[in-house]
PDB file of all heavy atoms in Angstrom:
ATOM      1  N   PHE A   3      10.204   8.048  16.772  1.00 94.00           N
ATOM      2  CA  PHE A   3       9.274   8.299  15.670  1.00 94.00           C
ATOM      3  C   PHE A   3       9.154   9.800  15.397  1.00 94.00           C
ATOM      4  O   PHE A   3       8.993  10.214  14.252  1.00 94.00           O
ATOM      5  CB  PHE A   3       7.899   7.713  15.975  1.00 94.00           C
ATOM      6  CG  PHE A   3       7.811   6.232  15.704  1.00 94.00           C
ATOM      7  CD1 PHE A   3       7.643   5.331  16.741  1.00 94.00           C
ATOM      8  CD2 PHE A   3       7.890   5.743  14.411  1.00 94.00           C
ATOM      9  CE1 PHE A   3       7.558   3.966  16.491  1.00 94.00           C
ATOM     10  CE2 PHE A   3       7.806   4.384  14.147  1.00 94.00           C
ATOM     11  CZ  PHE A   3       7.635   3.500  15.194  1.00 94.00           C
ATOM     12  N   LYS A  19       0.230   1.702  20.905  1.00 97.00           N
ATOM     13  CA  LYS A  19       0.670   0.326  20.631  1.00 97.00           C
ATOM     14  C   LYS A  19       1.925  -0.029  21.430  1.00 97.00           C
ATOM     15  O   LYS A  19       2.351  -1.175  21.443  1.00 97.00           O
ATOM     16  CB  LYS A  19       0.996   0.144  19.141  1.00 97.00           C
ATOM     17  CG  LYS A  19      -0.136   0.424  18.216  1.00 97.00           C
ATOM     18  CD  LYS A  19      -0.853  -0.758  17.622  1.00 97.00           C
ATOM     19  CE  LYS A  19      -0.047  -1.907  17.122  1.00 97.00           C
ATOM     20  NZ  LYS A  19      -0.861  -3.142  17.058  1.00 97.00           N
ATOM     21  N   GLY A  20       2.537   0.973  22.041  1.00 97.00           N
ATOM     22  CA  GLY A  20       3.734   0.728  22.859  1.00 97.00           C
ATOM     23  C   GLY A  20       5.004   0.569  22.044  1.00 97.00           C
ATOM     24  O   GLY A  20       6.009   0.065  22.537  1.00 97.00           O
ATOM     25  N   TYR A  21       4.972   1.018  20.770  1.00 97.00           N
ATOM     26  CA  TYR A  21       6.193   0.958  19.964  1.00 97.00           C
ATOM     27  C   TYR A  21       7.185   1.966  20.531  1.00 97.00           C
ATOM     28  O   TYR A  21       6.867   3.135  20.707  1.00 97.00           O
ATOM     29  CB  TYR A  21       5.921   1.329  18.501  1.00 97.00           C
ATOM     30  CG  TYR A  21       5.040   0.395  17.709  1.00 97.00           C
ATOM     31  CD1 TYR A  21       4.741   0.682  16.377  1.00 97.00           C
ATOM     32  CD2 TYR A  21       4.511  -0.769  18.258  1.00 97.00           C
ATOM     33  CE1 TYR A  21       3.946  -0.159  15.618  1.00 97.00           C
ATOM     34  CE2 TYR A  21       3.699  -1.612  17.501  1.00 97.00           C
ATOM     35  CZ  TYR A  21       3.419  -1.300  16.185  1.00 97.00           C
ATOM     36  OH  TYR A  21       2.624  -2.115  15.433  1.00 97.00           O
ATOM     37  N   VAL A  22       8.404   1.519  20.774  1.00 93.00           N
ATOM     38  CA  VAL A  22       9.409   2.401  21.365  1.00 93.00           C
ATOM     39  C   VAL A  22      10.040   3.299  20.301  1.00 93.00           C
ATOM     40  O   VAL A  22      10.318   4.470  20.529  1.00 93.00           O
ATOM     41  CB  VAL A  22      10.488   1.566  22.110  1.00 93.00           C
ATOM     42  CG1 VAL A  22      11.534   2.476  22.716  1.00 93.00           C
ATOM     43  CG2 VAL A  22       9.829   0.701  23.179  1.00 93.00           C
ATOM     44  N   GLY A  23      10.262   2.736  19.121  1.00 96.00           N
ATOM     45  CA  GLY A  23      10.860   3.519  18.038  1.00 96.00           C
ATOM     46  C   GLY A  23      10.715   2.752  16.747  1.00 96.00           C
ATOM     47  O   GLY A  23      10.215   1.630  16.749  1.00 96.00           O
ATOM     48  N   PRO A  24      11.132   3.358  15.627  1.00 97.00           N
ATOM     49  CA  PRO A  24      10.990   2.675  14.342  1.00 97.00           C
ATOM     50  C   PRO A  24      11.920   1.471  14.223  1.00 97.00           C
ATOM     51  O   PRO A  24      13.009   1.472  14.796  1.00 97.00           O
ATOM     52  CB  PRO A  24      11.376   3.751  13.322  1.00 97.00           C
ATOM     53  CG  PRO A  24      12.197   4.744  14.078  1.00 97.00           C
ATOM     54  CD  PRO A  24      11.744   4.694  15.503  1.00 97.00           C
ATOM     55  N   THR A  25      11.498   0.477  13.475  1.00 97.00           N
ATOM     56  CA  THR A  25      12.372  -0.660  13.161  1.00 97.00           C
ATOM     57  C   THR A  25      13.316  -0.190  12.044  1.00 97.00           C
ATOM     58  O   THR A  25      13.066   0.855  11.422  1.00 97.00           O
ATOM     59  CB  THR A  25      11.544  -1.865  12.681  1.00 97.00           C
ATOM     60  OG1 THR A  25      10.935  -1.526  11.430  1.00 97.00           O
ATOM     61  CG2 THR A  25      10.469  -2.262  13.690  1.00 97.00           C
ATOM     62  N   GLN A  28      11.666   0.738   8.801  1.00 98.00           N
ATOM     63  CA  GLN A  28      10.858   1.967   8.942  1.00 98.00           C
ATOM     64  C   GLN A  28      11.765   3.202   8.968  1.00 98.00           C
ATOM     65  O   GLN A  28      11.470   4.219   8.339  1.00 98.00           O
ATOM     66  CB  GLN A  28      10.020   1.900  10.222  1.00 98.00           C
ATOM     67  CG  GLN A  28       8.938   0.825  10.151  1.00 98.00           C
ATOM     68  CD  GLN A  28       8.332   0.463  11.490  1.00 98.00           C
ATOM     69  OE1 GLN A  28       8.703   1.006  12.529  1.00 98.00           O
ATOM     70  NE2 GLN A  28       7.403  -0.481  11.474  1.00 98.00           N
ATOM     71  N   GLN A  46      11.849  -8.891   5.314  1.00 90.00           N
ATOM     72  CA  GLN A  46      11.041 -10.091   5.571  1.00 90.00           C
ATOM     73  C   GLN A  46       9.817  -9.698   6.406  1.00 90.00           C
ATOM     74  O   GLN A  46       9.789  -8.637   7.017  1.00 90.00           O
ATOM     75  CB  GLN A  46      11.840 -11.120   6.388  1.00 90.00           C
ATOM     76  CG  GLN A  46      13.331 -11.150   6.136  1.00 90.00           C
ATOM     77  CD  GLN A  46      13.686 -11.845   4.842  1.00 90.00           C
ATOM     78  OE1 GLN A  46      13.007 -12.788   4.464  1.00 90.00           O
ATOM     79  NE2 GLN A  46      14.708 -11.376   4.163  1.00 90.00           N
ATOM     80  N   THR A  47       8.872 -10.631   6.438  1.00 89.00           N
ATOM     81  CA  THR A  47       7.711 -10.460   7.319  1.00 89.00           C
ATOM     82  C   THR A  47       8.218 -10.423   8.762  1.00 89.00           C
ATOM     83  O   THR A  47       9.154 -11.131   9.105  1.00 89.00           O
ATOM     84  CB  THR A  47       6.737 -11.652   7.138  1.00 89.00           C
ATOM     85  OG1 THR A  47       6.339 -11.655   5.780  1.00 89.00           O
ATOM     86  CG2 THR A  47       5.523 -11.531   8.027  1.00 89.00           C
ATOM     87  N   GLY A  48       7.602  -9.579   9.572  1.00 93.00           N
ATOM     88  CA  GLY A  48       7.999  -9.511  10.986  1.00 93.00           C
ATOM     89  C   GLY A  48       8.980  -8.387  11.277  1.00 93.00           C
ATOM     90  O   GLY A  48       9.360  -8.164  12.421  1.00 93.00           O
ATOM     91  N   THR A  49       9.376  -7.643  10.227  1.00 96.00           N
ATOM     92  CA  THR A  49      10.344  -6.566  10.415  1.00 96.00           C
ATOM     93  C   THR A  49       9.663  -5.201  10.551  1.00 96.00           C
ATOM     94  O   THR A  49      10.337  -4.187  10.678  1.00 96.00           O
ATOM     95  CB  THR A  49      11.302  -6.497   9.203  1.00 96.00           C
ATOM     96  OG1 THR A  49      10.496  -6.376   8.017  1.00 96.00           O
ATOM     97  CG2 THR A  49      12.160  -7.743   9.098  1.00 96.00           C
ATOM     98  N   GLY A  50       8.336  -5.211  10.469  1.00 97.00           N
ATOM     99  CA  GLY A  50       7.607  -3.943  10.540  1.00 97.00           C
ATOM    100  C   GLY A  50       7.436  -3.305   9.174  1.00 97.00           C
ATOM    101  O   GLY A  50       7.196  -2.106   9.052  1.00 97.00           O
ATOM    102  N   LYS A  51       7.509  -4.106   8.110  1.00 96.00           N
ATOM    103  CA  LYS A  51       7.447  -3.538   6.749  1.00 96.00           C
ATOM    104  C   LYS A  51       6.067  -2.963   6.416  1.00 96.00           C
ATOM    105  O   LYS A  51       5.961  -2.031   5.634  1.00 96.00           O
ATOM    106  CB  LYS A  51       7.898  -4.551   5.705  1.00 96.00           C
ATOM    107  CG  LYS A  51       6.936  -5.702   5.516  1.00 96.00           C
ATOM    108  CD  LYS A  51       7.431  -6.663   4.448  1.00 96.00           C
ATOM    109  CE  LYS A  51       6.616  -7.935   4.402  1.00 96.00           C
ATOM    110  NZ  LYS A  51       5.178  -7.756   4.106  1.00 96.00           N
ATOM    111  N   THR A  52       5.017  -3.521   7.006  1.00 97.00           N
ATOM    112  CA  THR A  52       3.682  -3.006   6.689  1.00 97.00           C
ATOM    113  C   THR A  52       3.552  -1.549   7.156  1.00 97.00           C
ATOM    114  O   THR A  52       3.108  -0.683   6.398  1.00 97.00           O
ATOM    115  CB  THR A  52       2.579  -3.882   7.314  1.00 97.00           C
ATOM    116  OG1 THR A  52       2.916  -5.252   7.107  1.00 97.00           O
ATOM    117  CG2 THR A  52       1.222  -3.585   6.710  1.00 97.00           C
ATOM    118  N   ALA A  53       3.973  -1.294   8.393  1.00 98.00           N
ATOM    119  CA  ALA A  53       3.923   0.091   8.894  1.00 98.00           C
ATOM    120  C   ALA A  53       4.873   0.985   8.102  1.00 98.00           C
ATOM    121  O   ALA A  53       4.609   2.174   7.931  1.00 98.00           O
ATOM    122  CB  ALA A  53       4.284   0.125  10.377  1.00 98.00           C
ATOM    123  N   GLN A  87      -4.538  -8.753   6.294  1.00 97.00           N
ATOM    124  CA  GLN A  87      -3.617  -8.260   7.333  1.00 97.00           C
ATOM    125  C   GLN A  87      -3.214  -6.803   7.080  1.00 97.00           C
ATOM    126  O   GLN A  87      -3.155  -5.986   7.999  1.00 97.00           O
ATOM    127  CB  GLN A  87      -2.361  -9.117   7.234  1.00 97.00           C
ATOM    128  CG  GLN A  87      -1.749  -9.578   8.526  1.00 97.00           C
ATOM    129  CD  GLN A  87      -0.626 -10.551   8.162  1.00 97.00           C
ATOM    130  OE1 GLN A  87      -0.869 -11.639   7.606  1.00 97.00           O
ATOM    131  NE2 GLN A  87       0.604 -10.153   8.422  1.00 97.00           N
ATOM    132  N   TYR A  95      -3.319   1.938  12.106  1.00 98.00           N
ATOM    133  CA  TYR A  95      -2.495   3.151  12.033  1.00 98.00           C
ATOM    134  C   TYR A  95      -3.326   4.374  11.625  1.00 98.00           C
ATOM    135  O   TYR A  95      -2.953   5.507  11.921  1.00 98.00           O
ATOM    136  CB  TYR A  95      -1.303   2.951  11.086  1.00 98.00           C
ATOM    137  CG  TYR A  95      -0.398   1.815  11.507  1.00 98.00           C
ATOM    138  CD1 TYR A  95      -0.156   0.729  10.676  1.00 98.00           C
ATOM    139  CD2 TYR A  95       0.207   1.813  12.774  1.00 98.00           C
ATOM    140  CE1 TYR A  95       0.658  -0.323  11.073  1.00 98.00           C
ATOM    141  CE2 TYR A  95       1.015   0.762  13.185  1.00 98.00           C
ATOM    142  CZ  TYR A  95       1.233  -0.306  12.329  1.00 98.00           C
ATOM    143  OH  TYR A  95       2.022  -1.350  12.731  1.00 98.00           O
TER     144      TYR A  95
HETATM  145  P1  LIG B 301       5.136  -6.789   9.669  1.00 60.94           P
HETATM  146  O1  LIG B 301       6.599  -7.019   9.393  1.00 60.94           O
HETATM  147  O2  LIG B 301       4.611  -5.622   8.957  1.00 60.94           O
HETATM  148  O3  LIG B 301       4.334  -8.035   9.431  1.00 60.94           O
HETATM  149  O4  LIG B 301       4.992  -6.431  11.242  1.00 60.94           O
HETATM  150  C1  LIG B 301       5.309  -7.352  12.248  1.00 60.94           C
HETATM  151  C2  LIG B 301       4.809  -6.917  13.611  1.00 60.94           C
HETATM  152  O5  LIG B 301       5.609  -5.865  14.130  1.00 60.94           O
HETATM  153  C3  LIG B 301       3.379  -6.421  13.656  1.00 60.94           C
HETATM  154  O6  LIG B 301       2.704  -7.116  14.658  1.00 60.94           O
HETATM  155  C4  LIG B 301       3.498  -4.956  14.028  1.00 60.94           C
HETATM  156  O7  LIG B 301       2.431  -4.559  14.865  1.00 60.94           O
HETATM  157  C5  LIG B 301       4.803  -4.885  14.763  1.00 60.94           C
HETATM  158  N1  LIG B 301       5.516  -3.592  14.623  1.00 60.94           N
HETATM  159  C6  LIG B 301       5.565  -2.811  13.525  1.00 60.94           C
HETATM  160  N2  LIG B 301       6.320  -1.720  13.746  1.00 60.94           N
HETATM  161  C7  LIG B 301       6.783  -1.809  15.010  1.00 60.94           C
HETATM  162  C8  LIG B 301       7.634  -0.985  15.822  1.00 60.94           C
HETATM  163  N3  LIG B 301       8.161   0.150  15.343  1.00 60.94           N
HETATM  164  N4  LIG B 301       7.887  -1.394  17.095  1.00 60.94           N
HETATM  165  C9  LIG B 301       7.361  -2.537  17.559  1.00 60.94           C
HETATM  166  N5  LIG B 301       6.560  -3.377  16.853  1.00 60.94           N
HETATM  167  C10 LIG B 301       6.268  -3.019  15.586  1.00 60.94           C
END
Side-chain angles (χ1 to χ4, degrees):
F3 279 113
K19 301 257 317 159
Y21 294 179
V22 180
T25 66
Q28 293 165 0
Q46 327 283 326
T47 300
T49 55
K51 70 179 170 60
T52 316
Q87 222 173 295
Y95 301 121

